[in-house]
């Protein structure tokens, strides 16, 4: 953009020079020059670092080269606070690999002097990407001054995320001995651990211990506890906890809590109470917050209420300045759930023209819906349309349709589509071939496939999954058939 502005300015100056030499008064040339300068001043400002990075939507994109390229441009300056904000936003968007990439780089290059809170973020990202062992190593290598409650809390979060009960409880006890349990966060982690283990009955006792130790539960604490009662269909306990929360002077019940209540009512088929909770949730939302609209749209979708889904979508489009891919995926999922196929297809077209970063996670919502509704011809047509536009579907996209054909017993189509998925396979993108479908395909290839086709498929497959007995057996059976065919031909 900057270079094109310079070329435009040069062309204007050449034109001005030519006109002055042709006898145009100097005063007019000066006026033209002033207008030219004013136009230059009105040129748009160069893009910020964040506006440069966010359109790079694919989670596998390396961000550090883009950051360094941006920083090398004249007038751009890296600021620690902005880099930290980028890492925070990447975590929020669950782009953990990119967040860790940026965090490692800014620490290594000295752009940010890591404080305990930065170490905590980094440790949590290491645990998310490389596992608990790597997180423990990072924690153990920290200086004593950096081992405050924040890195301790981050390691506890790693243990609870991996459902390591014994390690989590031992670590929690050590935190108590060191005086590092003085906020809701460690208790919330434990309650989340029991929730994820399905041990909902243990959650209220952790909540009680927190209150006994003089720590006032926060919104998240109450939500976990409310959810634990809902999971056991104990609506009396749920409503008592909600009432207690509403009476706490230090607590402002937020929209998310009422949404959790509504979700539990929906699961319990208490529709009237669900509608009441959703109305309370909507009254509490920040009307510029897309996340709240997405959540409520999804819940009304579960209630089967198309009119409310469309009403909230219209409000979201009107009130929110930006409409990101997540907004479209939420609405598409709700429409597909409501069998509003035509509206979903129209919305996908709208998304394509929105100038949002192209991400196959959005059309994958339609592909999944088509598969679930046995509309595989539509799914294939959608993929073909994108191919014609030069958009290569991801492994996940091909696999969604392949699974549909496998479920119908059409192993030939499942094989062809899975082969396409494997051809564009990239590690660490979230797709792993479904083992049951692969077993079915390998049986078919071993019994009926040409040897060269079996070899090609196995070569593609072993990039995504380790070589196993199903692959070797399919190859052996195909070779045996090939040898038998040769013998019969020569006989």
């Amino acid at each position: 953009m900057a270079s094109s502005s310079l070329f435009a300015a040069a062309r204007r100056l050449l034109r001005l020079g030519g006109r002055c030499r042709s006898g145009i008064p100097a005063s007019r040339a000066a006026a033209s020059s002033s207008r030219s300068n004013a136009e230059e001043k009105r040129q748009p400002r160069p893009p910020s670092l964040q506006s440069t990075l966010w359109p790079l939507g694919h989670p596998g994109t390396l961000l550090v080269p883009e950051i360094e390229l941006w920083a090398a441009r004249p007038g751009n300056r890296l600021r620690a606070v902005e880099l930290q904000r980028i890492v925070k936003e990447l975590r929020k968007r669950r782009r953990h690999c990119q967040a860790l990439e940026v965090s490692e780089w800014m620490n290594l290059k000295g752009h940010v002097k890591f404080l305990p809170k930065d170490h905590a973020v980094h440790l949590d990202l290491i645990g998310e990407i490389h596992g608990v062992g790597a997180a423990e190593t990072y924690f153990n290598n920290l200086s004593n001054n950096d081992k405050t409650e924040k890195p301790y809390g981050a390691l506890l979060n790693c243990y609870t995320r991996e459902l390591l009960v014994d390690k989590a409880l031992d670590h929690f006890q050590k935190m108590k001995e060191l005086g590092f349990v003085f906020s809701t966060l460690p208790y919330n982690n434990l309650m989340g651990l029991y929730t994820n283990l399905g041990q909902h009955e243990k959650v209220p006792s952790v909540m009680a211990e927190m209150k006994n130790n003089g720590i006032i539960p926060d919104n998240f604490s109450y939500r976990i506890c409310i959810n634990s009662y809902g999971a056991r269909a104990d609506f009396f306990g749920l409503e008592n906890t909600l009432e207690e929360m509403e009476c706490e002077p230090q607590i402002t019940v937020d929209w998310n809590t009422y949404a959790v209540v509504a979700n539990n009512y929906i699961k319990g088929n208490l529709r009237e109470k669900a509608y009441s909770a959703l109305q309370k949730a909507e009254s509490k939302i920040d009307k510029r917050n897309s996340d709240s609209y997405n959540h409520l749209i999804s819940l009304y979708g579960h209630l089967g209420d198309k009119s409310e889904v469309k009403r909230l979508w219209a409000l979201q489009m009107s009130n929110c300045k930006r409409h990101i891919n997540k907004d479209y995926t939420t609405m598409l999922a709700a429409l597909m759930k409501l069998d509003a196929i035509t509206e979903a297809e129209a919305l996908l077209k709208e998304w394509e023209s929105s100038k949002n970063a192209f991400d196959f996670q959005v059309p994958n919502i339609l592909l999944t819906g088509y598969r679930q509704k046995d509309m595989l011809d539509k799914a294939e047509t959608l993929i073909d349309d994108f191919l014609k536009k030069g958009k290569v579907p991801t492994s996940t996209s091909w696999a969604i349709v392949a699974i549909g054909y496998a479920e119908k017993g059409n192993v030939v189509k499942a094989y062809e589509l899975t082969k396409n998925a494997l051809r564009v396979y990239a590690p660490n993108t979230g797709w792993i071939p479904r083992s049951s479908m692969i077993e079915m395909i390998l049986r078919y290839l071993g019994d009926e496939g040409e040897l060269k086709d079996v070899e090609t498929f196995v070569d593609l497959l072993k990039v995504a999954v380790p070589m196993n007995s199903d692959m070797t057996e399919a190859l052996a059976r195909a070779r045996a058939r090939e040898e038998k065919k040769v013998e019969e031909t020569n006989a």
Side-chain angles (χ1 to χ4, degrees):
M1 185 180 293
S3 60
S4 64
S5 298
L6 289 171
F7 288 135
R11 285 196 297 270
R12 282 195 292 273
L13 287 170
L14 285 170
R15 285 199 298 271
L16 285 168
R19 289 168 64 189
C20 288
R21 284 193 299 273
S22 301
I24 294 175
S27 59
R28 286 177 60 188
S32 298
S33 179
S34 297
R35 285 195 298 273
S36 176
N37 290 337
E39 287 173 11
E40 287 298 309
K41 288 178 183 176
R42 287 196 297 271
Q43 288 294 319
R45 297 173 66 182
S48 69
L49 178 55
Q50 291 193 58
S51 65
T52 300
L53 297 182
W54 296 147
L56 306 173
H58 194 284
T61 304
L62 293 176
L63 296 187
V64 164
E66 300 293 336
I67 295 172
E68 291 179 333
L69 191 64
W70 181 89
R73 294 185 186 120
N76 289 344
R77 183 170 64 88
L78 290 171
R79 294 183 302 130
V81 66
E82 187 172 16
L83 291 170
Q84 289 168 320
R85 194 180 299 125
I86 285 167
V87 171
K88 181 179 179 180
E89 183 64 23
L90 287 168
R91 290 178 79 205
K92 183 180 175 183
R93 297 185 184 200
R94 303 192 65 77
R95 288 158 63 173
H96 297 119
C97 283
Q98 290 174 324
L100 181 59
E101 176 203 358
V102 175
S103 182
E104 283 178 341
W105 171 80
M106 68 190 199
N107 184 30
L108 183 67
K109 296 292 185 179
H111 293 299
V112 175
K113 179 174 172 30
F114 268 27
L115 299 173
K117 64 182 178 63
D118 302 300
H119 285 299
V121 169
H122 196 75
L123 188 154
D124 188 65
L125 287 168
I126 288 172
E128 185 77 51
I129 302 301
H130 300 299
V132 166
E136 288 175 327
T137 300
Y138 185 83
F139 177 82
N140 292 333
N141 288 334
L142 291 175
S143 69
N144 289 333
N145 288 338
D146 284 326
K147 286 183 180 176
T148 66
E149 80 283 353
K150 292 188 183 297
Y152 264 94
L155 187 55
L156 176 65
N157 187 55
C158 291
Y159 289 145
T160 57
R161 182 170 56 221
E162 297 299 320
L163 308 182
L164 301 172
V165 179
D166 292 339
K167 282 197 169 191
L169 293 177
D170 289 345
H171 192 71
F172 181 75
Q173 183 59 36
K174 187 170 184 180
M175 288 179 68
K176 286 203 288 188
E177 291 167 4
L178 291 169
F180 288 163
V181 181
F182 47 76
S183 72
T184 59
L185 189 55
Y187 290 102
N188 289 346
N189 272 323
L190 281 190
M191 290 193 288
L193 170 64
Y194 289 132
T195 296
N196 290 329
L197 288 168
Q199 298 175 4
H200 301 286
E201 70 284 354
K202 292 185 178 180
V203 170
S205 62
V206 179
M207 181 83 148
E209 181 185 336
M210 176 170 28
K211 290 191 282 190
N212 289 338
N213 289 335
I215 298 170
I216 299 169
D218 59 16
N219 271 284
F220 190 56
S221 314
Y222 277 111
R223 278 200 296 275
I224 299 173
C225 199
I226 285 169
N227 208 45
S228 75
Y229 285 116
R232 291 177 283 150
D234 181 354
F235 294 106
F236 179 77
L238 181 154
E239 288 162 2
N240 275 350
T241 305
L242 178 62
E243 187 178 339
E244 176 191 317
M245 186 182 183
E246 290 172 329
C247 292
E248 277 287 353
Q250 302 92 335
I251 293 286
T252 301
V253 186
D254 60 2
W255 71 268
N256 207 349
T257 301
Y258 285 118
V260 167
V261 171
N263 186 42
N264 281 292
Y265 282 143
I266 291 168
K267 289 177 181 176
N269 201 29
L270 300 170
R271 292 178 64 85
E272 286 186 20
K273 289 190 173 187
Y275 273 103
S276 175
L278 284 169
Q279 287 164 6
K280 288 179 181 178
E282 188 175 346
S283 72
K284 296 276 188 176
I285 66 172
D286 174 354
K287 292 185 170 23
R288 297 164 297 178
N289 181 349
S290 284
D291 284 343
S292 55
Y293 285 110
N294 289 338
H295 206 95
L296 299 186
I297 283 169
S298 180
L299 290 173
Y300 276 117
H302 285 296
L303 280 169
D305 195 325
K306 184 176 172 181
S307 63
E308 284 298 296
V309 164
K310 294 178 74 173
R311 179 184 68 81
L312 284 167
W313 177 251
L315 285 174
Q316 183 175 1
M317 290 294 102
S318 172
N319 294 333
C320 301
K321 289 183 180 178
R322 294 179 64 244
H323 309 115
I324 63 175
N325 287 348
K326 182 182 175 183
D327 305 332
Y328 284 99
T329 56
T330 301
M331 186 59 179
L332 285 168
L335 289 173
M336 293 301 281
K337 188 174 184 64
L338 292 163
D339 290 325
I341 309 296
T342 304
E343 283 120 309
E345 290 168 341
L347 184 60
L348 186 68
K349 295 288 185 189
E350 182 184 314
W351 166 75
E352 286 186 73
S353 63
S354 70
K355 297 183 180 178
N356 281 12
F358 190 91
D359 187 344
F360 261 100
Q361 287 187 53
V362 182
N364 281 354
I365 301 295
L366 257 71
L367 291 175
T368 302
Y370 288 147
R371 176 181 68 79
Q372 291 169 342
K373 298 174 192 307
D374 197 20
M375 302 167 73
L376 296 176
D377 54 336
K378 272 185 168 285
E380 286 199 87
T381 300
L382 183 59
I383 282 183
D384 287 342
D385 287 345
F386 280 117
L387 285 169
K388 289 172 187 173
K389 295 170 186 173
K391 305 292 186 184
V392 179
T394 62
S395 297
T396 304
S397 306
W398 290 112
I400 289 168
V401 192
I403 290 166
Y405 280 111
E407 289 169 344
K408 289 168 68 74
N410 190 336
V411 66
V412 175
K413 288 288 290 184
Y415 157 63
E416 291 295 337
L417 291 161
T418 302
K419 193 162 56 173
N420 290 342
L422 291 167
R423 280 178 177 143
V424 294
Y425 172 78
N428 303 317
T429 53
W431 179 72
I432 299 173
R434 186 178 284 191
S435 58
S436 58
M437 183 171 67
I438 295 300
E439 287 170 16
M440 181 179 74
I441 291 169
L442 288 170
R443 279 197 302 272
Y444 157 73
L445 290 174
D447 293 338
E448 300 181 39
E450 295 291 328
L451 177 58
K452 65 179 187 303
D453 293 332
V454 183
E455 289 173 337
T456 299
F457 187 78
V458 169
D459 284 342
L460 288 168
L461 184 59
K462 65 187 182 185
V463 175
V465 296
M467 193 77 179
N468 59 39
S469 58
D470 290 328
M471 298 185 214
T472 54
E473 189 178 333
L475 286 166
R477 290 207 309 275
R479 286 195 188 102
R481 285 189 296 102
E482 187 86 3
E483 289 167 3
K484 186 178 179 181
K485 192 186 298 182
V486 171
E487 288 172 6
E488 289 173 349
T489 302
N490 294 333

